[in-house]
Amino acid sequence: MRITEAAKSLGTTPRMLRYREALGLLPSSRATRTTQRQYDGRDLAAVKLALELERRYDVTPAALAFALKALAEPSVAADIRDLGYRTGRLTSPPSPAEIDRERALRWLGRSGTLPPPHNRPR
């Protein structure tokens, strides 16, 4: 279907569909410069899901597109994770030594309630 029909069936405008497409919130188009994009069921389902997520999480289409970029590009995800640690919204990851200690305690059948080695009585 053409963009006008697709927009009407989704309760949005052709302009918003073009904006969402530019943000990467629609599957890749198979249209060429000389042909108009035809919207199929897959396209409509993607836009419906995007609209639902935007409403549910109260985010803009641009914020949703950035979230997809963060999921798709490991370097972006790492930068966002670093920001989360620096702002305190994420807790710092455990050090390799802490991970090994917890793993050893689990293998021994103990919980991680033992004090760190430097605090234990001698």
Side-chain angles (χ1 to χ4, degrees), residues 67-82:
L68 282 174
K69 182 176 183 173
L71 289 172
E73 297 179 28
S75 63
V76 176
D79 290 341
I80 293 170
R81 205 171 11 266
D82 183 39

Side-chain angles (χ1 to χ4, degrees), residues 9-60:
S9 74
L10 293 165
T12 190
T13 64
R15 182 177 178 190
M16 282 304 292
L17 278 181
R18 285 187 197 95
Y19 175 60
R20 290 170 187 289
E21 184 174 11
L23 290 172
L25 295 175
L26 279 112
S28 298
S29 172
R30 295 155 300 284
T32 64
R33 289 183 136 195
T34 57
T35 64
Q36 289 186 343
R37 179 180 182 135
Q38 293 293 308
Y39 292 81
D40 60 18
R42 192 174 124 209
D43 299 321
L44 298 179
V47 174
K48 283 180 186 178
L49 179 58
L51 289 167
E52 179 186 323
L53 293 172
E54 291 161 18
R55 279 191 290 271
R56 184 184 315 159
Y57 297 109
D58 193 26
V59 296
T60 64

Side-chain angles (χ1 to χ4, degrees), residues 101-102 104-106 109-117 119-121:
R101 181 176 179 274
E102 290 301 316
L105 288 171
R106 277 196 310 273
R110 299 180 184 167
S111 66
T113 57
L114 290 177
N119 290 341
R120 277 194 231 139

